[in-house]
Amino acid sequence: MQSFYLISVLACLLPVALGDDPSVAWCYNEPTCNDTTWPRIATDFCNGTRQSPIDIVSASAVADSTLGAFTLAGFDDKTAFTKIENTGKTVKIELASGAMNVSGGSLPTDYSSLQFHLHWGNGSSVPGSEHTVDGKRYPMELHIVNAKTSLNGNLTEILADSEGLAALGFFIEVESGTTDQPASWKSLADHLRNITESGESVSITDISMNDLISGVDTTSYYRYLGSLTTPNCNEAVVWTVFKDTVKVSQNVIDLFSNTVRIGDSTSELVTNVFRNVQPLNGRQVSTTVASSATSLATTSLLALGLAALHGILHLG
């Protein structure tokens, strides 16, 4: 019970590490405090050597057979989400203590899920994912933040551990030919009208994490060691970025950049809330290998093709 309490406290405190630190006046939208200035205004880590996000060059990713399947406990729990909040810099969804946890996937230990949040550009026409793949930026990116369960919510220890946090990143792109789909994302976005001003939050229920990441093959992903993507940019994150994208209608994606504001009702809209990609600095990006089933299917197709070719060559 005590560990659950500490995790609940951490879920409230961790946004400080993710960017709401009042001692660092950072922003996305002003030239004096946008991401180009973070290495100067948040010097502890933002000018480090293992910063995130990065551009993932797929051809350079090293295949690693040890990167196996995840165990995503509670991801089908429709009571796991507790509230959705406009932080003035993003939209964050807090998770019930102990409701979700992540293990497997070659992570060093079990991690407790704390919250997830989103990064976006300016409507579906101006992409705003943080990570890019082969230079491509997607419209949005969803980050699930998880902390080592064994550290019992000790924020100092978590941020001092090079693998204290495990972040799961999902790209979101436009599903063509649909309106207000899928239903889970439409339901999530419907809450935005109630949190238009910074600091506002409302309860949220009846959506599961699996509802939001439907269609993603969670056995296919990239892995690297990085950092938080907002000041203080602590280099304490094991990053997993999934290859498959979440398909969401343009109408729903556009709601994020035309509904919530950075302050009160007279302030500007929250747009272009992503950090630009950072130098790799010699880090290795690993990738999962094709499953045995996929390899078998490929081999079978090749065999069939060769057999057909053999038959053609021997006709007559």
Side-chain angles (χ1 to χ4, degrees):
M1 183 64 70
Q2 183 181 20
S3 63
F4 279 175
Y5 170 75
L6 290 171
I7 292 295
S8 297
V9 172
L10 178 60
C12 296
L13 292 178
L14 193 57
V16 171
L18 291 173
D20 291 338
D21 187 344
S23 67
V24 179
W26 68 274
C27 70
Y28 290 109
N29 62 315
E30 297 288 344
T32 58
C33 57
N34 65 27
D35 71 329
T36 65
T37 72
W38 296 353
R40 298 195 304 273
I41 65 177
T43 56
D44 286 349
F45 300 104
C46 289
N47 57 2
T49 58
R50 52 170 275 189
Q51 290 292 289
S52 297
I54 61 170
D55 177 45
I56 298 168
V57 180
S58 59
S60 299
V62 178
D64 185 347
S65 62
T66 69
L67 295 177
F70 284 96
T71 299
L72 303 174
F75 274 49
D76 58 350
D77 184 352
K78 291 183 180 293
T79 67
F81 300 178
T82 60
K83 72 174 183 177
I84 181 171
E85 178 186 0
N86 173 4
T87 71
K89 295 181 174 75
T90 187
V91 168
K92 179 186 69 174
I93 293 82
E94 290 190 4
L95 304 173
S97 175
M100 291 168 48
N101 62 75
V102 176
S103 59
S106 198
L107 294 174
T109 185
D110 294 347
Y111 289 78
S112 299
S113 304
L114 305 175
Q115 51 105 324
F116 70 92
H117 59 273
L118 297 126
H119 297 271
W120 62 86
N122 192 354
S124 53
S125 60
V126 181
S129 69
E130 295 213 296
H131 291 90
T132 60
V133 179
D134 297 328
K136 177 180 179 178
R137 190 179 302 280
Y138 291 87
M140 297 179 71
E141 188 171 342
L142 182 155
H143 292 163
I144 306 174
V145 181
N146 313 276
K148 270 189 179 180
T149 306
S150 62
L151 297 181
N152 295 316
N154 186 314
L155 184 60
T156 300
E157 291 187 12
I158 289 169
L159 295 179
D161 187 330
S162 65
E163 298 176 330
L165 296 167
L168 307 182
F170 298 83
F171 293 121
I172 299 160
E173 67 177 343
V174 174
E175 175 69 88
S176 60
T178 62
T179 302
D180 297 339
Q181 292 295 326
S184 57
W185 277 89
K186 175 61 166 58
S187 179
L188 180 74
D190 280 345
H191 289 83
L192 299 179
R193 66 170 69 101
N194 298 315
I195 58 168
T196 58
E197 299 184 26
S198 178
E200 292 184 327
S201 65
V202 293
S203 61
I204 181 171
T205 57
D206 298 325
I207 308 172
S208 74
M209 199 71 245
N210 278 343
D211 291 336
L212 296 179
I213 61 173
S214 176
V216 174
D217 178 1
T218 56
T219 68
S220 182
Y221 54 88
Y222 298 103
R223 166 67 49 75
Y224 78 99
L225 294 178
S227 72
L228 297 172
T229 64
T230 56
N232 284 318
C233 311
N234 302 72
E235 295 179 336
V237 186
V238 181
W239 273 100
T240 300
V241 179
F242 293 95
K243 297 180 182 180
D244 285 349
T245 62
V246 178
K247 306 297 193 301
V248 179
S249 67
Q250 178 177 327
N251 288 359
V252 172
I253 291 173
D254 289 348
L255 282 173
F256 286 86
S257 58
N258 63 29
T259 305
V260 294
R261 297 184 178 274
I262 66 172
D264 62 20
S265 60
T266 65
S267 64
E268 62 186 282
L269 292 164
V270 177
T271 59
N272 299 319
V273 285
F274 62 92
R275 188 187 193 187
N276 285 293
V277 295
Q278 303 297 301
L280 194 58
N281 290 323
R283 284 174 288 171
Q284 177 176 294
V285 177
S286 301
T287 180
T288 49
V289 298
S291 68
S292 56
T294 302
S295 299
L296 180 61
T298 302
T299 301
S300 298
L301 287 172
L302 179 61
L304 287 171
L306 290 173
L309 179 61
H310 179 79
I312 291 171
L313 292 175
H314 288 80
L315 284 175

